[in-house]
Amino acid sequence: MGYAYFAAMLLCGFMVASGTTAANQNSTGDPARPAEVRIGALFTFDSVIGKAVRPAIELAVAHVNSDPSILRGTKLSVLMQDTNCSGFIGTIEALQLLAKDVIAVLGPQSSAVAHVISHTVNELHVPLISFAATDPTLSSLEYPYFVRSTQSDYYQMDAIASIISQYQWKQVITIHVDDDYGRGGIMALGDALAKRKCKIVYKAKLPPGAANTTIENILMQVNEMESRVYVIHVNPDSGLNVFSAAKSLGMMSSGYVWIATDWLSAVMDSSVHGTTDVMELTQGVLVLRQHVSHSDIQKALLSKWNLTRNGSAYSMRAYDSVWLVAHAAERLLSEGNTISFSADTNLRATKGSNLQLDSLRIFNNGNKLLENVWNVNFSGVSGPVQFTLDRNLIHPAYDILNIGGTGVRTIGYWSNISGLSVVAPENLYSSALNSSTNNVQLHSVIWPGQITEKPRGWEFSYHGKPMRIGVPLRTSYKEFVTQDNGPDGVKGFAVDVFKAAISLLPYPVSCDFVLFGDGLKNPSYSDLVQKVSENYFDAAIGDIAIVTNRTRLVDFTQPYIESGLIIVAPAKEVESNAWAFLKPFTFQMWCVLGVIFLFVGAVVWVLEHRTNTEFRGPPRQQIMTVCWFSFSTMFFAHRENTVSALGRFVLLIWLFVVLIINSSYTASLTSLLTVQELTSGIQGLDSLISSSSAIGYQVGSFSRNYLVDELNIAESRLVPLNSASDYARALELGSGNGGVAAIIDELPYVEIFLSKYCKFKTVGQVFTKSGWGFVSGFVCCNQNTCTHALAFLFRISFDGTVFCCRPSQGTPLLPRTCQQQS
């Protein structure tokens, strides 16, 4: 940029020094006001924007000069220079314009020219007021004299990012012109998407003025990628060539998403291109347009600009830019300041050279005029004209348009106050935001291909590679996963779950199953997870426990089976005998029951023998009656009748107690006769930890690390075991004879073990809660993005989003930067 500026300065030698200080007296006779003040206008006359803004500028100057309340007696004149769509020519034209003692320059419309000229106006203290340069980097403090009288692409790209997030697309491809305007806008889009956990997966760069063959080649390259969400940010004059090439390549059909920045709305609002041709090429496209609230002055002026429909937002910005300078100049003159220029001591003509650098002069009160520009506050045809502290126009807002059929529909709005909304922004500025007035749901959209269902935003890559799925080569508990001679090379419960899940998808998923392990012993599952994190495998399936230290390396699918650690210990069978019927109650309980029986009989006898003849007789008979009465209530109705009220009350309570005793005895005896009791010396986890007995664990399982790191059990007590037969042999030997006192393993393995060996039992409850899941690695999409390799199968909940695209190695994925995978 510095070289371009230097070259432009050298070419000043071809300029003719023109213009002198403005006359000292105006038509009102006020010696403090000049007769004329000059402003410059720099744009491409024959461009889409140029044809729209030229009549607007001329009309604005005429209106200023006819308004007696502003620039009283001073004529405002405008000098226009044509940049001819060239950065080099535009720079030269700008220098020629500045040599004519203008107090401000309207334009340029090119961000590239604005970058170069901004250095010159900084030196000459001439405000550069651009109605079309939208590159966000121009707001840098490096360019204090650059004033943007239109909206920055910073806000436009935030609006596009909101749309992409609204439709839950996570990866997009940008197509942009490779100049300051295109690069600056796409950089702002990338930042806005990152805030919403989205990503630009590829940036397709178009050379300025690219030929149709170049555009087609780039689009063919883009079409081979997975993402089908395209953001196109190009110049209005050549942008339709992109859609023409896309249509010829079949990229305007169903499944594609096209989002165009406001360059396309500028084309539609101008009369440069036929409306029918534009509509035919852009069916289903979403377009942004700078929001301009309707007003009476706007309606009155539109008819004079010879513009179609609602007029170009750029033309309205240009019209207001003229009034912006007029208001600032009026305030400058009202404060008693003069319009004068002085030579720049830094620009001295070289001796013997034809360069006339002294023709570029400093505007003496340029800093005051710039300050007045920043403080201006008036209502223009484009809405309120006022600047924020960060030197942007207030209330940035955009219309969101959808092209369909022969017309354009407004499906919503975006503003920095409300975000996405179906309510016009001006209706929200004065009211508090709430869920009823700010509905982020946009109206329905007609997408390319005349469909109304939201496109998923990705397709299969033409050059997709199958995923490498790591599978543990187990030597025990092969019911879950093992080697097979079939086409896939693996089988088992975990493999069946995986295949059943992918069979439900509406698209095929190509996988290569790669065995992990030496086949001599169970492999280390932590090493398998590590291989996934290192991208040796795209994913891993099998009986893989979801534990904390593994989730730090990779992400897991939702668990497909519950698991957890549990203790298995040896047990012995207790044989029953002829006296088993006495076991439901203890000896003490039997004694208590006998005493209660006799006591109840005695109580009933005391209450009944005076009035009831059945409780009378010889002493021996009465004793037998007492004993018989109590015990007979256990099995059948007693023979003796009770006649007293108290006797019947005691009998009622006693019968209820007898019912409870009968039920308890029957249940306990049934349990003893039908269930064989197993006993073990290990009572639970605490007793196992406190003992010094050996503990077995499965080779390759996470249980070893858990016992050592979490339970602080010495490694010397741990014995690795590989198979179910090893389990049985070690438990039978016992801790003191080269075996183990107990084994700690995951519940699914233990259930299979106990189904084969009945001499052992579980002790206590499962003391860890976990599950088995599939390991999801990350696959790099294109250049800078990595994504979950198994997001197509189960929703991965680490960020709460859903999958959106398919990576180069075979699946629709969630975004993650490539740097994060290491």
Side-chain angles (χ1 to χ4, degrees):
M1 188 177 296
Y3 293 110
Y5 171 66
F6 180 71
M9 295 298 296
L10 292 178
L11 290 174
C12 287
F14 297 100
M15 299 187 301
V16 178
S18 61
T20 59
T21 305
N24 292 330
Q25 189 172 0
N26 65 4
S27 59
T28 63
D30 187 353
R33 287 180 174 265
E36 179 186 25
V37 291
R38 298 175 181 175
I39 62 174
L42 194 65
F43 56 92
T44 300
F45 293 168
D46 196 34
S47 65
V48 171
I49 295 178
K51 290 181 178 181
V53 302
R54 184 167 186 172
I57 294 175
E58 293 172 346
L59 186 61
V61 171
H63 286 176
V64 169
N65 289 329
S66 62
D67 190 340
S69 64
I70 191 167
L71 294 180
R72 299 182 303 275
T74 299
K75 178 184 178 182
L76 178 67
S77 61
V78 59
L79 306 176
M80 299 186 182
Q81 295 286 91
D82 188 2
T83 60
N84 292 311
C85 291
S86 170
F88 178 76
I89 298 299
T91 303
I92 299 303
E93 295 293 337
L95 294 175
Q96 290 180 345
L97 194 62
L98 291 169
K100 297 177 181 179
D101 291 342
V102 294
I103 65 170
V105 175
L106 304 181
Q109 74 183 68
S110 168
S111 297
V113 176
H115 274 284
V116 179
I117 298 304
S118 292
H119 294 286
T120 305
V121 297
N122 289 350
E123 179 70 20
L124 301 180
H125 297 177
V126 177
L128 184 65
I129 303 174
S130 178
F131 47 80
T134 57
D135 179 10
T137 60
L138 287 169
S139 298
S140 169
L141 297 178
E142 182 183 6
Y143 311 117
Y145 279 83
F146 176 82
V147 179
R148 195 196 316 273
S149 59
T150 187
Q151 298 296 349
S152 169
D153 277 342
Y154 171 84
Y155 298 107
Q156 179 171 212
M157 297 306 170
D158 197 56
I160 292 177
S162 297
I163 295 173
I164 293 170
S165 178
Q166 173 70 21
Y167 289 108
Q168 297 181 342
W169 297 312
K170 293 298 177 183
Q171 296 182 345
V172 301
I173 293 176
T174 60
I175 302 172
H176 67 278
V177 60
D178 193 17
D179 60 7
D180 291 331
Y181 158 74
R183 289 190 297 269
I186 298 304
M187 183 182 300
L189 176 61
D191 294 339
L193 289 174
K195 296 177 182 178
R196 296 164 174 84
K197 297 181 180 179
C198 304
K199 190 70 175 180
I200 299 175
V201 296
Y202 183 73
K203 299 177 181 178
K205 303 174 183 178
L206 297 176
N212 291 337
T213 55
T214 301
I215 296 175
E216 289 181 358
N217 291 336
I218 293 176
L219 290 182
M220 284 190 291
Q221 181 181 1
V222 165
N223 198 34
E224 293 181 352
M225 300 177 184
E226 296 81 13
S227 179
R228 288 293 183 264
V229 182
Y230 304 130
V231 176
I232 178 168
H233 186 55
V234 293
N235 294 317
D237 300 282
S238 58
L240 289 179
N241 295 337
V242 177
F243 284 113
S244 178
K247 186 174 183 180
S248 65
L249 295 173
M251 297 176 66
M252 298 301 296
S253 57
S254 61
Y256 291 86
V257 177
W258 291 87
I259 303 176
T261 55
D262 62 351
W263 68 268
L264 183 54
S265 60
V267 173
M268 295 188 299
D269 292 337
S270 71
S271 57
V272 176
H273 298 275
T275 304
T276 305
D277 296 337
V278 175
M279 297 296 175
E280 184 179 354
L281 291 174
T282 57
Q283 289 292 303
V285 176
L286 294 183
V287 189
L288 269 68
R289 174 197 284 155
Q290 292 190 34
H291 179 74
V292 177
S293 57
H294 297 287
S295 62
D296 295 336
I297 185 174
Q298 179 190 125
K299 295 178 181 179
L301 293 176
L302 286 179
S303 60
K304 301 179 181 180
W305 288 344
N306 191 28
L307 298 176
T308 62
R309 288 189 297 277
N310 295 327
S312 169
Y314 290 107
S315 60
M316 299 182 196
R317 301 293 186 187
Y319 180 91
D320 288 342
S321 297
V322 175
W323 280 93
L324 174 65
V325 176
H327 282 291
E330 169 62 26
R331 184 173 180 178
L332 179 71
L333 296 175
S334 299
E335 293 172 349
N337 298 297
T338 60
I339 305 297
S340 61
F341 297 84
S342 60
D344 188 351
T345 57
N346 295 324
L347 299 177
R348 296 177 179 177
T350 305
K351 185 176 181 180
S353 173
N354 292 327
L355 297 178
Q356 299 178 0
L357 299 180
D358 54 344
S359 62
L360 296 174
R361 301 196 296 171
I362 296 176
F363 178 26
N364 294 326
N365 288 315
N367 58 335
K368 295 181 179 180
L369 179 64
L370 178 65
E371 183 178 356
N372 292 338
V373 168
W374 293 129
N375 294 327
V376 160
N377 183 3
F378 70 95
S379 295
V381 295
S382 62
V385 179
Q386 184 182 353
F387 293 94
T388 62
L389 294 178
D390 57 356
R391 305 192 305 170
N392 287 308
L393 287 174
I394 63 170
H395 301 330
Y398 289 86
D399 301 336
I400 304 173
L401 312 177
N402 179 217
I403 303 175
T406 59
V408 177
R409 298 183 306 118
T410 300
I411 63 171
Y413 306 90
W414 178 92
S415 72
N416 67 328
I417 300 296
S418 63
L420 294 179
S421 175
V422 294
V423 181
E426 58 267 20
N427 297 332
L428 299 175
Y429 294 142
S430 58
S431 62
L433 296 180
N434 55 62
S435 58
S436 60
T437 60
N438 181 35
N439 184 4
V440 298
Q441 298 294 331
L442 301 176
H443 292 304
S444 61
V445 178
I446 300 176
W447 303 100
Q450 300 298 311
I451 62 173
T452 57
E453 182 181 358
K454 184 199 77 171
R456 62 185 177 185
W458 58 269
E459 291 292 342
F460 289 109
S461 171
Y462 296 143
H463 304 293
K465 299 178 181 178
M467 290 194 303
R468 283 173 52 87
I469 306 295
V471 181
L473 179 57
R474 295 193 58 89
T475 58
S476 63
Y477 300 110
K478 297 181 179 180
E479 294 85 352
F480 296 109
V481 60
T482 187
Q483 188 176 11
D484 184 44
N485 296 326
D488 294 327
V490 292
K491 67 177 182 179
F493 175 74
V495 179
D496 293 339
V497 171
F498 181 77
K499 291 181 179 178
I502 63 176
S503 67
L504 299 176
L505 298 176
Y507 47 83
V509 177
S510 179
C511 303
D512 285 341
F513 296 102
V514 182
L515 292 170
F516 178 77
D518 56 12
L520 301 177
K521 61 181 181 178
N522 293 331
S524 171
Y525 281 65
S526 296
D527 292 345
L528 176 60
V529 171
Q530 184 68 33
K531 288 292 185 179
V532 176
S533 69
E534 294 172 354
N535 288 334
Y536 181 81
F537 294 124
D538 297 326
I541 66 171
D543 46 342
I544 306 173
I546 303 174
V547 293
T548 304
N549 60 339
R550 294 174 183 174
T551 58
R552 297 190 181 103
L553 300 176
V554 296
D555 281 295
F556 283 84
T557 64
Q558 293 292 335
Y560 64 90
I561 189 173
E562 292 185 358
S563 181
L565 295 179
I566 194 170
I567 300 174
V568 180
K572 60 181 179 179
E573 183 177 343
V574 178
E575 298 180 356
S576 61
N577 52 45
W579 297 98
F581 69 93
L582 295 176
K583 289 186 177 180
F585 294 149
T586 62
F587 175 77
Q588 293 82 356
M589 184 63 180
W590 284 116
C591 293
V592 171
L593 287 177
V595 173
I596 292 176
F597 278 110
L598 295 176
F599 175 76
V600 171
V603 171
V604 174
W605 176 82
V606 170
L607 296 174
E608 292 289 330
H609 81 282
R610 292 183 181 180
T611 58
N612 193 339
T613 57
E614 295 183 4
F615 287 88
R616 294 178 182 178
R620 182 178 178 181
Q621 181 182 349
Q622 293 186 41
I623 293 173
M624 293 299 297
T625 300
V626 169
C627 296
W628 174 255
F629 179 85
S630 298
F631 285 97
S632 65
T633 57
M634 286 286 295
F635 311 104
F636 48 84
H638 52 278
R639 183 182 60 184
E640 296 79 7
N641 295 320
T642 55
V643 295
S644 66
L646 289 176
R648 291 179 178 180
F649 178 74
V650 172
L651 182 61
L652 178 64
I653 297 176
W654 173 241
L655 291 176
F656 182 73
V657 173
V658 168
L659 175 64
I660 296 175
I661 294 174
N662 263 327
S663 300
S664 300
Y665 179 84
T666 302
S668 298
L669 183 60
T670 302
S671 176
L672 290 173
L673 296 177
T674 57
V675 179
Q676 295 178 343
E677 181 182 358
L678 299 178
T679 61
S680 172
I682 302 298
Q683 302 300 321
L685 180 62
D686 294 336
S687 62
L688 181 62
I689 295 175
S690 60
S691 69
S692 59
S693 303
I695 303 173
Y697 69 92
Q698 184 180 167
V699 174
S701 173
F702 77 95
S703 57
R704 178 186 179 278
N705 293 334
Y706 183 84
L707 295 175
V708 174
D709 299 335
E710 301 296 333
L711 302 182
N712 297 319
I713 296 176
E715 292 189 38
S716 59
R717 294 178 56 190
L718 302 181
V719 178
L721 303 172
N722 192 60
S723 63
S725 59
D726 293 341
Y727 283 20
R729 187 180 307 108
L731 290 172
E732 289 173 352
L733 291 174
S735 179
N737 302 314
V740 296
I743 294 174
I744 294 181
D745 204 354
E746 297 178 69
L747 182 60
Y749 301 127
V750 171
E751 290 176 343
I752 292 180
F753 172 71
L754 294 180
S755 68
K756 299 178 179 179
Y757 298 91
C758 302
K759 298 180 181 180
F760 313 99
K761 76 161 194 173
T762 59
V763 178
Q765 301 296 323
V766 176
F767 56 88
T768 63
K769 295 294 184 181
S770 63
W772 288 353
F774 300 146
V775 180
S776 178
F778 298 93
V779 181
C780 283
C781 288
N782 304 317
Q783 295 180 349
N784 299 318
T785 301
C786 293
T787 49
H788 288 288
L790 287 186
F792 69 93
L793 186 54
F794 298 108
R795 179 187 298 272
I796 297 176
S797 57
F798 79 98
D799 63 355
T801 54
V802 295
F803 62 82
C804 62
C805 76
R806 185 176 187 270
S808 57
Q809 297 192 17
T811 55
L813 308 173
L814 290 170
R816 191 175 190 180
T817 59
C818 286
Q819 289 77 9
Q820 288 177 299
Q821 66 181 334
S822 59

